[in-house]
Amino acid sequence: MNLSVGIVGLPNVGKSTLFNAILKRQIAAASNYPFTTIEPNVGVVEVPDDRLAVLAKIVNTQKNIPAVVRFVDIAGLVKGAAQGQGLGNKFLSHIREVNVICHVVRYFQDENVVHVNGAVNPQSDIDTVNSELILADLETLEKVKSQKSKVKTTSEKSKIDGVEKLYEALNKGILAKDVVLTDEEKEAVQELQLITAKPVIYVKNVDESQITDNSKQTTERNEIAICAKIEAELAELSEEEQKEYLKQLGLEKSGLERLIQVAYQTLGLVSFLTAGEKEVRAWTIVKGARAPEAAGVIHTDFIKGFIKAEVCSYGDFVKFNGWQGARDNGKVRFEGKDYVMQEGDVTEFKVNV
């Protein structure tokens, strides 16, 4: 699957600074990836994965292809966006397409950067954005509720039941993702693509002096501290210079790397690896995916034609220097259709197509 992150926030919170840093670190060879055209408000970056270089050396290939994340800079949100204020309509259409919302919240103090509401108040900013998203979803739900008299099937009844529960909760300020629905109701309302049903990562845009203390903070609310100004500076440096700069700041990883990591955790994603003479590559799947589903990420025809998967853990693959050494030491196994893929599985799929 392709991970898509939508960056939202009020004006002057550092959203554009962060996105511009992402653009500067965007992959150049976009033709290698599923996104053949990169729009001005879309940045595609590689998921950092040191394992690929190790595998490439073992199988003697010059080509390694990491997984990628697609960042979408959602058009500026202002109060009234749900009613079309500012670029509200464009904002809403783009945000429905992403997997996870990255909500940039201003924590930094800078008298030269005017706050849209007059003062830095993170909780107030969060409430303003959530209110606009809730209003947009309520409009969607109202359209479905108006069709209640036409309900005939069990599926349609489940949809209306779910819609009414959501409508009541959203009117109380509760996001759709926090509303308890039955499995039938969840399935029935999924097609509505409610914005507040999407998982959210709150990015605290902090001052440079605050970044070390906050860099390791990830709470149950999926908060992560980033200094957008530092990310912009890192984007101008070479890979070696970036490492040295992060070391000077007392940081192990850049904010972008940590954001990608949290996005994977939030969505329950893992990576499996393929390693051959043509290329080594990381593939993103949902945790719990079975072998045929993983094969289908490579090519949809592989799901129907799946026969078995040849699997070796990354650690054993490296320890025994590739497929042959791992086979000789009994570390390669064949798995069938019910096998649940694990993080870091090095895999070859046997298919009939």
Side-chain angles (χ1 to χ4, degrees), residues 87-296:
L87 294 175
N89 293 330
K90 186 176 181 181
F91 166 85
L92 296 173
S93 65
H94 282 164
I95 202 170
R96 292 187 196 281
E97 299 171 3
V98 302
N99 302 116
V100 61
I101 295 171
C102 168
H103 183 170
V104 181
V105 184
R106 178 172 172 175
Y107 277 72
F108 68 88
Q109 299 285 344
D110 188 339
E111 59 184 22
N112 295 316
V113 181
V114 178
H115 191 285
V116 67
N117 291 330
V120 176
N121 187 330
Q123 190 56 54
S124 176
D125 291 358
I126 290 171
D127 292 342
T128 297
V129 171
N130 284 345
S131 293
E132 293 305 318
L133 302 187
I134 285 173
L135 287 170
D137 280 350
L138 283 172
E139 185 177 342
T140 299
L141 295 173
E142 284 171 353
K143 292 177 182 177
V144 180
K145 276 169 58 69
S146 68
Q147 303 297 313
K148 184 176 180 178
S149 60
K150 300 179 181 179
V151 168
K152 295 179 180 179
T153 67
T154 302
S155 175
E156 289 173 340
K157 185 180 185 305
S158 293
K159 185 175 182 178
I160 288 294
D161 289 344
V163 163
E164 290 184 332
K165 284 184 183 179
L166 289 164
Y167 190 82
E168 181 181 355
L170 263 64
N171 269 305
K172 295 178 180 177
I174 301 171
L175 303 180
K177 67 184 181 66
D178 299 321
V179 179
V180 178
L181 301 175
T182 66
D183 290 341
E184 291 78 11
E185 289 166 349
K186 284 181 183 177
E187 185 175 353
V189 301
Q190 192 171 11
E191 67 183 52
L192 299 178
Q193 289 187 297
L194 295 179
I195 297 170
T196 63
K198 295 181 183 295
V200 180
I201 300 169
Y202 293 94
V203 170
K204 300 163 59 177
N205 189 11
V206 300
D207 292 315
E208 292 169 283
S209 60
Q210 298 173 299
I211 188 62
T212 303
D213 294 336
N214 285 276
S215 63
K216 295 182 180 180
Q217 181 179 355
T218 302
T219 70
E220 291 181 359
R221 196 171 72 161
N222 284 341
E223 291 180 351
I224 176 174
I226 288 178
C227 176
K229 186 177 179 181
I230 290 176
E231 295 305 305
E233 292 170 351
L234 284 169
E236 301 286 354
L237 303 176
S238 67
E239 188 173 338
E240 286 303 314
E241 289 171 333
Q242 287 179 23
K243 290 179 181 178
E244 182 59 31
Y245 187 30
L246 288 171
K247 185 178 179 180
Q248 291 173 7
L249 294 170
L251 301 174
E252 294 180 4
K253 297 179 179 179
S254 70
L256 179 58
E257 289 176 295
R258 289 185 287 112
L259 177 55
I260 291 172
Q261 185 177 21
V262 173
Y264 264 66
Q265 293 169 352
T266 301
L267 292 171
L269 304 178
V270 296
S271 296
F272 73 91
L273 310 165
T274 52
E277 292 180 0
K278 290 185 178 180
E279 66 177 32
V280 298
R281 187 163 184 162
W283 304 86
T284 303
I285 54 174
V286 176
K287 188 176 182 179
R290 299 185 186 278
E293 297 173 70

